[in-house]
Amino acid sequence: MIQSLVQMIQPKENQFRQEKIIYDNGKRMLEKSLSEKGGMEYYLISKKFIKEWKYYVDYDNEMEEIQKKNRQQPNTMNSDLIKEEKIIKYIPEYHNYNSSIRYLENEWDYEYVIREVYEIFLKNYQSIEPQIRVGFYNDNLKKKQIFPNLARFTLIYMSPINQELNKIKAQVDNNSEIKAWTNLLRDTFKEMFKQKQINNVRIWSPRHKTFKADQLIQEKKKIKGIDGEIINDNMMVFEMYSQRDQCIFVDLELNEWQFKKFEKGLQYDCQLLFEKALYGCGQIFCEFPQCRLNNGYLDLGLGQEDIRGICQVLIENEEVKWELMCSKQINITENLQPYQQRIRKNEIVQYLLKISNFIELFGMSFIENYNKNQGIQKIDPENPEVNSKLVYETAIQFDQQKEYFIQVIKNLFQKKVEEIEQLKNLYELRALYLILQFKNCLNVILEEKTQIVLTIVRRLSQQQLTQLSKWLRKLDKFEIKQLQLIIKNQIEKQIKIQTNAPIRPFLEIEDIEKMKGLFELYSVIYKSNIGNHRIQSSDFIINSIQFFYKQDGDREEFSQFQMFNQKIWRNYSFTFCQYPWAMPIQFKNKLLYIECKIKQYDQRRRTLGILPQYISLTIERDNIIESAINQLQQIQVSLKTPLKVQFVNEQGVDEGGLKREFFRLIMEKLVTPDYGMFISKNNDTVFWFNPQSFEIPIYYQLIGKLLGLSLYNSVLLDVRFPTVLFKKLRGEQVNEDDMKELDMETYTGFQFLREQTDPKVIESLSLTFNATYKVWGQSYYEDLKPNGNQLGVTIENREEYIHLYTDWYLNKLVQKQFELLRDGFKSVVDGDGIKLFSGEELQSLIIGLPTFDMKDLESSTKYNGYENNSEYIKLFWDIILSLNIEMQKKFLFFCTGSDRIPVGGLKSMKFVIQKHGQYTEQLPSAHTCFNILLLPQYKNKEILKEKLKISLDNAEGFGLI
């Protein structure tokens, strides 16, 4: 029976083995072909299919037997990519530009495969025809590029049969030449009109690019020509493509060309512009500056002849943007008024359903101080001017009728989602902003199956995302906190769903898109909070991220992070590392550790294991700096390699304790005033660069290397460097707030200067654009700008003075010293992992957290020889918790060799209390390398307290037995 079962399984395993070999060979051939010239075809395959297939065939050989029984055969190859929308039907089926639109939301929704791989999938699995793309060789880049993005156009053409003007949609690769496309169109129209001899095709671009097809057809009939230009065949499609479904004319050459250029004159243009200026277009919103909606001529009391004269001057001076020319719209809103002008309160919901069909009108309906006589309301990019009270009152109406609010969302945005359009102006963006204000309906919106709002958010440009964050700055603390919590809860809910996914997380493209949309929205809120601080940055952290993957989650996340940075979309799904400010620092620290280990492994592999696994330093205590410099300069391996330290003429194996002592001693020596590299600032609370230092550059570089080495060796440094130093190491912008930690007197002086409203008070200060500083009692002066000592600070130029002084103090004054330190740091720390950390987080990783709670250590401690709930252990912790901060730090130093607090706090430390004798007189001791306290059991609390005090008061070195 077992033999027959093996015979049944074997053919399937052989098939899987063959598929994996063909797939791997195909990947290698694909990568090679991308660097060579040639016309190889590539097939687009759904990434979802590839993921399912890899799971099905156990591609990574990690599947357990019980999992193999439950695996399912992958679904169709690209069913999640195809969107049927027939256009020019007569393009040959196997032509490069085939006849159905397949819209890909993101470049990583699919994978390219070569024909052999496609055919093996087609043979063994259910499938539909995938889309074929062709790689274009880029001579400048010396490599092949594949352009999946399609431009869409509405073509207007004249039928050679009945001379009627018709319209039809078409698509083409953005990076195709116009000439290649016109050749395709020529073949297409030949097929359409076989009875007519079509010699060639050319494309006209109309002057008025905002006109719809029907309007252009009417214009063509009216003026008996085309008001536009013929597109140059040598152009690329993206050079002419300005908006989705842009209308163009296709001109067929029979015996002669069908269309001729309309020779417009000054009189024609004047009349055209005059009609728009006098009568307008009747739309809710118009981008044409000269439209009646925008020009304000009638409000100024200008007569018709005055307006006609203005139009003529504008045309003569070529100041008219004809491409924005608006066209007449009749009854576009069925005479609907903005929501504020509604007549009966009991019709609120129904009225909103009506106006939600007009996105700009909806956006106008909740603005403050609406005046219906002023026409369109100009939008302030700094302030959306939303009537919050009106939004709140309206939201109450939807509390019991949320299905109607979903319909409002569909009316506003569904068409844009289906047509794959972005929001096109601030008036439409304000409608999205308004929707986010309906917080009692927001959960329903975000959970709505079709993800309309999240799709719109994902498609916002960077400029639109920035604009949205600006508007959100206007919300008060309660409002922004409400919004932030809703989005955060939605993200945590999705994380929970994906964590419990039956196969693996992020298998479905829709799940990736939803998470991406939620995080983009969350990011907008985060950035708005930076501009107007109302929420603690720590409140944006989502702790469940670190538990997202069931096994080796940090490795999986780091792999996704690498693929994202390197734009390797083949196996990419999603990485939280796009939003590092939302990730717990402990998790980011794991990723940094993994990156370090990977680079160490790669280096050893490249050298066939010849390089040592550790950097070994033999240090002379009396000559610690020079011996460290000499040895670090001679090391050939990466400084990310683990460090081991041995002190000359001293016994002991470095299990962590000697390394910690080395860092403590050398940093203590380097920042001492004897070396003159740093000076104490702010009442001796921090050390900062000495701008008059004459120390040799290698010493500053050494400090930078030590900062990096401590990071990769998990050693916390006892050095009082300010946060601004670590912000500069991360390349963050520094500002006057960073002065507080260095020079509180100067910072408060800035605040006093800014608060003055009387110019005479500022003049009485006699400040000039000159700065002064002292080093060991000696004063030095520098101009902040040329001849600054002769330029006084006034109420008008005080902001410039504060900005220049801050930049000089934090950057220019210490530029040479900082750059040397930074170079040393970068010689150790590089790669993508460090990019995840802010300056403050980097400071926490290197010098530890500023505060701690000893109860965290108590809760995480393990015991050997004692019970955690015994009376003796309770007495011990009562004593430790009653100590002051300084003595508690001494206790930490005694037990671990460092009083610095690691990221994650004391609860993240592995700490053990081990029984070491009973009723003895010996003092407590410690194995600091392993964080083990050797604690004898004394007769009573008084003896225990006394022995601990003696040990802590005399703690030196590591307390080794």
Side-chain angles (χ1 to χ4, degrees):
M1 181 177 178
I2 294 175
Q3 189 175 3
S4 62
L5 184 62
V6 170
Q7 288 173 348
M8 289 173 60
I9 294 173
Q10 210 165 24
K12 182 67 72 176
E13 295 302 326
N14 288 338
Q15 174 196 318
F16 292 166
R17 194 177 303 113
Q18 181 193 17
E19 289 176 20
K20 287 193 277 186
I21 290 170
I22 292 173
Y23 176 76
D24 288 335
N25 288 340
K27 282 201 297 185
R28 285 190 286 272
M29 290 175 65
L30 182 107
E31 294 302 325
K32 183 181 178 184
S33 76
L34 289 176
S35 61
E36 298 175 347
K37 293 188 177 182
M40 179 177 282
E41 290 181 338
Y42 307 99
Y43 289 76
L44 286 179
I45 301 294
S46 158
K47 183 181 285 185
K48 177 184 172 184
F49 171 86
I50 297 292
K51 285 182 179 181
E52 289 177 343
W53 171 77
K54 284 186 173 181
Y55 181 80
Y56 183 58
V57 302
D58 192 14
Y59 181 79
D60 297 315
N61 299 318
E62 295 177 352
M63 194 181 293
E64 298 176 4
E65 288 302 319
I66 191 169
Q67 292 175 297
K68 291 182 180 180
K69 294 178 182 177
N70 301 322
R71 58 187 177 186
Q72 294 181 343
Q73 184 167 308
N75 206 337
T76 53
M77 278 196 220
N78 66 346
S79 57
D80 57 329
L81 297 183
I82 192 164
K83 172 180 166 57
E84 293 293 345
E85 183 175 338
K86 292 296 180 183
I87 57 174
I88 302 183
K89 300 177 185 177
Y90 304 97
I91 296 178
E93 182 180 356
Y94 295 107
H95 199 286
N96 296 340
Y97 306 127
N98 60 16
S99 60
S100 60
I101 289 177
R102 290 165 172 87
Y103 174 71
L104 306 173
E105 177 77 32
N106 293 304
E107 194 174 341
W108 48 81
D109 285 354
Y110 58 89
E111 181 174 317
Y112 291 113
V113 299
I114 62 173
R115 179 183 290 275
E116 288 81 357
V117 176
Y118 163 66
E119 286 177 346
I120 193 72
F121 286 154
L122 186 63
K123 175 184 174 183
N124 294 331
Y125 304 101
Q126 178 188 4
S127 174
I128 55 176
E129 192 74 14
Q131 186 174 5
I132 304 169
R133 313 306 278 157
V134 175
F136 294 85
Y137 192 82
N138 188 318
D139 282 310
N140 293 327
L141 296 177
K142 301 299 180 189
K143 68 178 183 179
K144 195 173 296 177
Q145 293 176 288
I146 307 170
F147 299 103
N149 297 322
L150 301 178
R152 293 208 338 177
F153 295 90
T154 298
L155 310 182
I156 301 170
Y157 67 95
M158 180 183 289
S159 167
I161 306 297
N162 57 18
Q163 309 306 307
E164 289 290 325
L165 286 169
N166 300 301
K167 57 185 179 181
I168 191 170
K169 290 188 177 180
Q171 67 178 20
V172 63
D173 278 278
N174 250 321
N175 289 273
S176 172
E177 285 186 336
I178 297 294
K179 185 176 183 179
W181 191 32
T182 54
N183 288 340
L184 167 65
L185 292 174
R186 180 193 61 208
D187 296 342
T188 301
F189 282 104
K190 278 184 177 181
E191 184 70 24
M192 287 175 69
F193 304 110
K194 291 180 180 178
Q195 62 271 52
K196 292 289 182 179
Q197 178 64 39
I198 297 175
N199 300 317
N200 214 337
V201 166
R202 63 184 181 183
I203 297 173
W204 292 75
S205 177
R207 180 164 61 147
H208 309 141
K209 291 184 172 52
T210 60
F211 281 23
K212 302 295 183 184
D214 291 339
Q215 297 154 5
L216 287 169
I217 288 172
Q218 291 302 315
E219 182 185 59
K220 166 72 182 66
K221 289 177 179 177
K222 180 180 177 182
I223 63 176
K224 306 300 179 185
I226 295 182
D227 189 1
E229 301 293 334
I230 298 170
I231 298 295
N232 188 321
D233 269 357
N234 295 321
M235 283 175 58
M236 304 293 284
V237 168
F238 69 81
E239 294 181 75
M240 63 169 287
Y241 183 56
S242 61
Q243 61 189 37
R244 188 170 174 77
D245 287 345
Q246 176 180 324
C247 295
I248 57 176
F249 286 92
V250 176
D251 194 0
L252 309 179
E253 184 187 32
L254 305 168
N255 294 325
E256 59 181 17
W257 293 106
Q258 294 175 310
F259 300 149
K260 290 183 172 58
K261 181 176 175 62
F262 174 66
E263 297 297 336
K264 60 185 180 298
L266 180 62
Q267 185 177 358
Y268 169 80
D269 278 350
C270 279
Q271 186 60 30
L272 195 63
L273 188 61
F274 173 69
E275 288 176 2
K276 291 293 175 291
L278 189 61
Y279 303 112
C281 59
Q283 297 183 88
I284 295 295
F285 166 77
C286 178
E287 290 186 294
F288 190 50
Q290 282 77 41
C291 178
R292 173 180 174 172
L293 202 60
N294 303 315
N295 60 37
Y297 296 157
L298 296 178
D299 294 337
L300 294 172
L302 299 177
Q304 290 192 17
E305 290 307 312
D306 295 325
I307 295 173
R308 191 183 298 275
I310 291 172
C311 291
Q312 183 166 341
V313 171
L314 288 171
I315 292 167
E316 289 173 350
N317 293 338
E318 297 184 351
E319 295 180 26
V320 180
K321 296 182 178 180
W322 294 105
E323 69 275 10
L324 299 178
M325 169 72 85
C326 52
S327 57
K328 185 69 176 175
Q329 304 289 309
I330 301 173
N331 296 326
I332 189 169
T333 60
E334 302 174 357
N335 295 318
L336 290 174
Q337 293 179 321
Y339 174 59
Q340 293 191 30
Q341 307 301 311
R342 68 196 185 285
I343 48 177
R344 286 189 289 272
K345 287 189 176 182
N346 60 353
E347 295 179 354
I348 287 175
V349 172
Q350 293 304 317
Y351 194 77
L352 271 175
L353 283 170
K354 281 184 181 179
I355 65 169
S356 63
N357 286 294
F358 310 100
I359 187 169
E360 287 100 345
L361 181 60
F362 183 86
M364 290 172 57
S365 290
F366 294 87
I367 61 175
E368 293 177 330
N369 307 316
Y370 176 78
N371 185 341
K372 65 179 181 180
N373 297 320
Q374 290 181 357
I376 195 71
Q377 299 287 316
K378 296 294 182 186
I379 290 187
D380 182 355
E382 302 298 323
N383 186 359
E385 300 177 304
V386 170
N387 187 331
S388 299
K389 183 180 178 183
L390 183 60
V391 171
Y392 176 75
E393 291 172 353
T394 308
I396 292 174
Q397 300 292 320
F398 284 103
D399 269 347
Q400 305 302 320
Q401 306 178 72
K402 290 191 172 66
E403 68 278 6
Y404 288 114
F405 198 73
I406 291 296
Q407 188 57 50
V408 168
I409 300 299
K410 289 179 178 178
N411 292 346
L412 286 169
F413 303 118
Q414 189 167 28
K415 187 177 179 183
K416 286 190 173 293
V417 169
E418 290 173 353
E419 294 294 321
I420 318 163
E421 288 184 356
Q422 290 181 303
L423 301 184
K424 63 186 180 184
N425 54 55
L426 288 182
Y427 297 89
E428 292 186 351
L429 187 65
R430 183 163 60 183
L432 175 62
Y433 175 83
L434 278 166
I435 290 301
L436 297 178
Q437 308 311 304
F438 286 81
K439 298 178 187 67
N440 57 336
C441 300
L442 203 50
N443 280 318
V444 178
I445 297 169
L446 298 176
E447 291 173 0
E448 196 263 328
K449 189 174 181 181
T450 55
Q451 298 183 26
I452 293 175
V453 168
L454 291 180
T455 302
I456 292 294
V457 169
R458 281 200 316 274
R459 292 181 189 162
L460 293 177
S461 66
Q462 195 55 54
Q463 184 179 2
Q464 289 172 323
L465 289 168
T466 302
Q467 181 60 64
L468 201 55
S469 70
K470 276 187 181 179
W471 283 344
L472 287 171
R473 291 178 196 172
K474 295 298 177 182
L475 299 184
D476 62 29
K477 183 176 180 178
F478 174 77
E479 290 176 315
I480 193 70
K481 185 67 178 175
Q482 227 184 342
L483 186 58
Q484 181 253 341
L485 284 175
I486 290 171
I487 309 301
K488 184 176 182 179
N489 290 337
Q490 283 290 329
I491 290 174
E492 288 175 331
K493 185 175 181 178
Q494 288 305 308
I495 287 176
K496 186 176 181 180
I497 290 171
Q498 291 302 307
T499 304
N500 298 320
I503 298 180
R504 61 183 302 172
F506 292 137
L507 183 62
E508 302 283 349
I509 301 298
E510 293 82 0
D511 294 336
I512 298 172
E513 290 175 344
K514 185 163 189 176
M515 191 69 84
K516 175 77 174 172
L518 285 169
F519 264 104
E520 285 299 302
L521 195 51
Y522 201 45
S523 183
V524 167
I525 299 168
Y526 174 77
K527 288 173 182 174
S528 95
N529 191 61
I530 292 175
N532 178 14
H533 192 75
R534 294 147 292 173
I535 306 173
Q536 292 296 322
S537 297
S538 57
D539 290 344
F540 283 92
I541 294 173
I542 299 172
N543 286 307
S544 53
I545 288 174
Q546 61 189 315
F547 311 114
F548 182 72
Y549 295 99
K550 291 183 177 69
Q551 298 176 4
D552 293 330
D554 42 9
R555 293 182 183 277
E556 178 68 22
E557 178 61 30
F558 184 75
S559 173
Q560 291 289 309
F561 182 41
Q562 278 188 312
M563 285 185 278
F564 176 78
N565 282 322
Q566 296 168 22
K567 294 181 170 54
I568 302 173
W569 307 129
R570 179 184 301 279
N571 297 316
Y572 176 74
S573 294
F574 178 84
T575 175
F576 296 104
C577 295
Q578 293 181 72
Y579 315 96
W581 42 268
M583 298 172 68
I585 188 172
Q586 303 95 311
F587 189 57
K588 291 189 281 189
N589 200 22
K590 283 184 182 179
L591 301 182
L592 187 68
Y593 176 78
I594 289 170
E595 181 185 55
C596 176
K597 290 297 179 187
I598 289 172
K599 292 194 174 183
Q600 289 171 15
Y601 172 78
D602 287 344
Q603 187 180 45
R604 285 183 56 77
R605 182 173 52 81
R606 286 195 301 270
T607 60
L608 303 177
I610 295 172
L611 293 179
Q613 295 185 26
Y614 298 97
I615 297 173
S616 296
L617 299 182
T618 304
I619 301 297
E620 301 173 28
R621 281 186 183 269
D622 297 334
N623 194 25
I624 190 169
I625 293 177
E626 282 70 22
S627 62
I629 288 174
N630 291 336
Q631 291 178 75
L632 287 172
Q633 280 183 313
Q634 295 173 16
I635 289 171
Q636 300 300 314
V637 300
S638 166
L639 292 177
K640 293 183 181 67
T641 305
L643 184 67
K644 283 190 177 292
V645 173
Q646 177 71 51
F647 287 99
V648 174
N649 299 326
E650 295 183 21
Q651 293 183 350
V653 177
D654 187 6
E655 297 292 346
L658 296 174
K659 182 168 52 182
R660 285 198 287 265
E661 176 150 2
F662 162 70
F663 277 107
R664 180 176 67 84
L665 293 174
I666 194 169
M667 291 302 293
E668 210 173 69
K669 206 166 186 75
L670 283 168
V671 299
T672 186
D674 294 345
Y675 278 84
M677 298 168 66
F678 296 92
I679 52 179
S680 62
K681 304 288 288 183
N682 235 13
N683 296 322
D684 297 332
T685 56
V686 292
F687 287 108
W688 188 237
F689 298 101
N690 177 5
Q692 292 296 320
S693 169
F694 297 105
E695 199 53 70
I696 55 177
I698 199 168
Y699 281 17
Y700 280 115
Q701 290 173 344
L702 175 62
I703 291 179
K705 284 183 179 180
L706 291 170
L707 292 177
L709 285 168
S710 71
L711 182 64
Y712 285 125
N713 284 272
S714 302
V715 176
L716 296 174
L717 299 181
D718 185 10
V719 58
R720 298 193 305 275
F721 285 148
T723 307
V724 65
L725 171 62
F726 298 93
K727 289 178 70 174
K728 284 167 69 67
L729 282 174
R730 284 295 299 113
E732 296 175 20
Q733 290 289 327
V734 296
N735 54 50
E736 64 184 271
D737 285 338
D738 295 304
M739 296 280 286
K740 283 190 282 189
E741 201 176 0
L742 282 177
D743 195 332
M744 181 58 77
E745 185 178 349
T746 300
Y747 175 79
T748 53
F750 287 162
Q751 305 313 303
F752 175 81
L753 183 63
R754 185 174 279 126
E755 290 165 2
Q756 303 313 306
T757 56
D758 187 350
K760 292 182 179 179
V761 173
I762 294 178
E763 288 175 16
S764 68
L765 298 174
S766 301
L767 294 172
T768 63
F769 277 75
N770 182 269
T772 180
Y773 63 96
K774 284 186 178 182
V775 176
W776 297 320
Q778 179 72 36
S779 294
Y780 300 89
Y781 302 90
E782 286 188 23
D783 283 343
L784 299 177
K785 59 194 301 186
N787 300 318
N789 63 338
Q790 299 175 20
L791 180 63
V793 177
T794 65
I795 198 167
E796 289 82 13
N797 64 21
R798 60 183 170 184
E799 288 299 332
E800 182 190 10
Y801 169 76
I802 292 172
H803 172 74
L804 290 175
Y805 195 104
T806 301
D807 182 50
W808 167 80
Y809 193 106
L810 298 178
N811 297 319
K812 294 177 179 176
L813 182 61
V814 296
Q815 182 175 351
K816 179 180 68 175
Q817 292 84 351
F818 169 74
E819 286 179 352
L820 289 168
L821 184 146
R822 182 194 60 197
D823 291 344
F825 182 75
K826 284 189 172 182
S827 70
V828 182
V829 181
D830 58 6
D832 295 322
I834 197 65
K835 298 174 186 175
L836 298 173
F837 299 92
S838 66
E840 282 189 49
E841 289 174 327
L842 182 60
Q843 181 184 34
S844 298
L845 288 175
I846 292 176
I847 68 175
L849 301 175
T851 60
F852 65 92
D853 187 344
M854 197 60 75
K855 288 182 179 179
D856 289 338
L857 186 64
E858 180 187 7
S859 66
S860 64
T861 298
K862 305 295 181 185
Y863 299 91
N864 184 0
Y866 291 112
E867 295 294 328
N868 64 342
N869 57 355
S870 68
E871 286 300 318
Y872 189 74
I873 290 300
K874 289 179 181 177
L875 285 175
F876 169 79
W877 284 111
D878 284 345
I879 293 170
I880 297 301
L881 293 172
S882 67
L883 298 175
N884 61 32
I885 295 295
E886 285 305 311
M887 288 303 291
Q888 285 185 350
K889 283 188 174 183
K890 281 189 175 184
F891 171 72
L892 289 174
F893 181 81
F894 176 77
C895 297
T896 68
S898 171
D899 61 2
R900 314 306 296 167
I901 314 303
V903 167
L906 292 178
K907 62 187 174 202
S908 67
M909 281 179 57
K910 292 180 180 178
F911 182 60
V912 177
I913 296 179
Q914 181 175 318
K915 191 172 183 178
H916 193 59
Q918 189 168 353
Y919 306 138
T920 176
E921 290 300 314
Q922 67 183 26
L923 294 170
S925 56
H927 290 306
T928 56
C929 300
F930 306 103
N931 295 348
I932 297 175
L933 172 64
L934 302 173
L935 180 66
Q937 184 168 359
Y938 301 110
K939 290 182 179 180
N940 53 50
K941 181 178 181 180
E942 287 69 27
I943 296 175
L944 173 61
K945 189 172 184 179
E946 180 188 355
K947 297 290 186 183
L948 281 171
K949 186 176 187 303
I950 294 170
S951 295
L952 300 187
D953 285 341
N954 296 278
E956 285 294 333
F958 299 100
L960 291 171
I961 299 174

